[in-house]
Amino acid sequence: MNWQWIGLTVFSLTLLPAGLAMAAGWAPARLRARLAPVRAHGWGLLALYAVAPLNALPRLTGASPQTSLVLTAAGGIVAVAGCLSAGVARLATDRRGVR
C-alpha cells in the first residue's frame, strides 16, 4: 500500500503540473523547439499521468480485484492512446519540415 501512495504522490507532483502547463500551451523556451506541438505533447503527458490514479486508487480504496483489473487495463489503454497521440503529432510536425 505504501508504494501505491508513493507512486501516486510522485506522479502527481511531476507529471500533472508539467502536463497541465503543456496542455495550456506553455513550455520552457529551450524545450519549445523540441516539443513543437506543445499542446499535443501536454495531452499525451496527461494521458500518461492518468495511469497512476487509475491503477492506484482502486487498490487504495480496497476495491474488488475485478474492478482493479478493469481500471488498470483502462489505464493501459489511455497510456497507449497518449503515446500514440504524441507520436502522431510529432510525425505530422516532422513531415511538414518544422523542427
Side-chain angles (χ1 to χ4, degrees):
M1 286 287 201
N2 286 336
W3 288 110
Q4 297 292 330
W5 282 114
I6 292 169
L8 188 58
T9 303
V10 167
F11 285 121
S12 295
L13 292 175
T14 56
L15 290 179
L16 184 59
L20 288 173
M22 290 173 64
W26 184 86
R30 65 178 186 199
L31 292 178
R32 186 167 282 281
R34 294 174 73 193
L35 300 171
V38 175
R39 290 183 193 270
H41 280 91
W43 285 109
L45 199 59
L46 285 174
L48 285 176
Y49 165 75
V51 175
L54 283 173
N55 187 19
L57 291 177
R59 297 171 197 275
L60 291 172
T61 59
S64 69
Q66 293 83 11
T67 303
S68 295
L69 181 64
V70 167
L71 288 175
T72 300
I77 292 169
V78 169
V80 169
C83 290
L84 286 175
S85 69
V88 167
R90 171 68 100 190
L91 184 63
T93 302
D94 287 347
R95 288 187 185 247
R96 287 190 310 213
V98 177
R99 281 205 152 207

